Amino acid sequence: MYCQPFEFRKIVDSTVTMLNLYIEEKALRLVVDLDDAIPRFIIGDELRLTQVITNFLTNAVKFTPHGGQIMFSAKRLCCDGAAENVMLIEIADTGIGISKEQQTRLFSAFEQAEAGTTRKFGGTGLGLAISKRIVEAMGGEISIESELGKGAKFIFTVRFEIGDRETGDICCAADGQTASFAGYRLLVVDDVDINREIVVALLGPTGIEVECAINGQDAVTIFGKEPEQYDIILMDLQMPVMDGLVATRHIRALDNKWSKQIPIIAMTANVFKEDIDLCIQTGMNDHLGKPLKFERLIEKLKMHLPNPRG
């Protein structure tokens, strides 16, 4: 785990802002309740905590019907009247719910609630297994309360230290300039609509042309038709039909020179060392953790595209 001081409220605000378009489209009511006892600055793994929160909120938006409600709450736990450095986070929705039988395997790797749910709502739910690993690595526990047709509540705890920096300069200040990637073409491969649209929105100001594929097989087909038209690929790992690792192997095996050279960057919530090593061994050049951070995305594009301007 990589620990540094950060503002918890800011990562909640940024996640909500990222999903706000989809919340508005479904006319959902989102209620956010943050305990005043949570310190302004806490020390922990900001990226991985953001990944867990984003995963649960994204699922809540995805599986809650039009006009429903989502409740996000975070509070600092107390023991014998004294505040502990443990935060309890709950994300509750009025969505489709999860049966008791489905709950028993929900946090297992390579399991999901049911295939029909994936076809109707998109995504596979595999992010829940990753979230469980992250929460446990942060010294916490995770659980679910749900009934089929009556919504779901995901509950988890995380341990933290109190930050001693009372200034807002924790993150490196941006230079006020946006890199220009005009003239370049990017292929984004992800099975979740929201994830693809976030990449398109983030990169809009850079001028790069973005094309999307909805799974690995789709990516191999699109790239195989005109490989020289693409300069870089962002590849999700866990997708139906064909996952990102298999798709990368297929692309590298295509009978043209550029398929062996094009930069392929894994775009995944799997940020543990063994997952990153597997990406590189498969033929990928680099990786980006989800949820994507604009600065990191720009950094990777500058690193792997020749002579970008900015």
Side-chain angles (χ1 to χ4, degrees):
M1 287 289 168
Y2 176 71
C3 294
Q4 64 177 6
F6 65 93
E7 290 189 70
F8 176 73
R9 287 165 178 80
K10 282 192 174 181
I11 69 171
V12 176
D13 289 343
S14 63
T15 304
V16 170
T17 299
M18 181 178 66
L19 295 172
N20 196 52
L21 173 63
Y22 310 99
I23 292 170
E24 292 179 351
E25 283 181 348
K26 297 183 72 173
L28 301 177
R29 181 171 182 260
L30 173 63
V31 178
V32 177
D33 182 17
L34 303 182
D35 186 358
D36 290 336
I38 298 172
R40 178 184 174 189
F41 289 103
I42 67 175
I43 298 174
D45 194 319
E46 178 183 8
L47 175 60
R48 286 176 175 167
L49 180 56
T50 304
Q51 288 175 340
V52 175
I53 291 173
T54 301
N55 183 51
F56 285 131
L57 276 177
T58 301
N59 282 339
V61 171
K62 187 189 304 180
F63 296 116
T64 301
H66 190 276
Q69 177 173 297
I70 299 169
M71 177 75 181
F72 178 96
S73 67
K75 65 180 180 180
R76 189 176 180 183
L77 296 183
C78 294
C79 180
D80 297 327
E84 294 185 295
N85 291 345
V86 178
M87 197 183 322
L88 174 69
I89 299 174
E90 299 181 349
I91 299 97
D93 63 61
T94 58
I96 62 175
I98 304 168
S99 70
K100 296 297 182 183
E101 190 276 330
Q102 291 166 352
Q103 291 175 41
T104 61
R105 65 175 191 271
L106 195 60
F107 293 106
S108 301
F110 308 111
E111 292 283 357
Q112 59 193 47
E114 61 179 44
T117 302
T118 296
R119 289 192 297 270
K120 182 175 181 181
F121 293 96
T124 63
L126 298 178
L128 296 178
I130 298 166
S131 294
K132 183 175 187 291
R133 290 172 63 189
I134 292 174
V135 167
E136 291 176 346
M138 291 189 289
E141 298 177 347
I142 192 166
S143 62
I144 179 175
E145 296 176 0
S146 181
E147 289 185 42
L148 199 59
K150 296 184 177 181
K153 179 192 290 187
F154 287 90
I155 306 158
F156 66 95
T157 57
V158 291
R159 294 189 174 274
F160 64 89
E161 298 297 328
I162 300 175
D164 58 3
R165 296 182 62 175
E166 291 301 317
T167 61
D169 61 353
I170 290 174
C171 296
C172 297
D175 59 9
Q177 298 180 349
T178 300
S180 173
F181 300 109
Y184 292 104
R185 196 174 189 187
L186 163 70
L187 179 61
V188 177
V189 189
D190 199 303
D191 62 307
V192 180
D193 293 346
I194 291 177
N195 293 343
R196 297 194 301 271
E197 292 173 20
I198 286 171
V199 175
V200 173
L202 286 175
L203 293 179
T206 71
I208 195 169
E209 183 179 349
V210 181
E211 187 168 344
C212 298
I214 61 173
N215 57 55
Q217 182 61 67
D218 192 30
V220 173
T221 301
I222 291 172
F223 178 80
K225 289 179 179 177
E226 297 181 299
E228 291 80 10
Q229 297 298 309
Y230 300 94
D231 299 286
I232 193 166
I233 298 173
L234 292 185
M235 180 76 75
D236 187 27
L237 290 192
Q238 295 169 326
M239 296 177 287
V241 183
M242 181 185 289
D243 66 37
L245 297 175
V246 175
T248 297
R249 295 189 187 101
H250 278 280
I251 288 173
R252 294 303 190 204
L254 291 174
D255 188 21
N256 65 81
K257 183 178 180 180
W258 185 231
S259 70
K260 313 294 189 296
Q261 299 176 358
I262 186 170
I264 302 177
I265 301 176
M267 184 175 60
T268 175
N270 295 24
V271 291
F272 292 89
K273 183 179 184 301
E274 59 268 28
D275 300 312
I276 296 170
D277 290 344
L278 181 59
C279 292
I280 302 303
Q281 293 167 9
T282 302
M284 295 180 170
N285 301 85
D286 210 333
H287 76 282
L288 274 167
K290 285 184 178 180
L292 295 180
K293 287 195 170 185
F294 178 75
E295 294 82 2
R296 291 287 291 164
L297 178 55
I298 296 300
E299 176 186 317
K300 297 297 184 182
L301 292 180
K302 284 183 175 181
M303 183 184 304
H304 292 285
L305 288 174
N307 306 315
R309 295 171 292 282

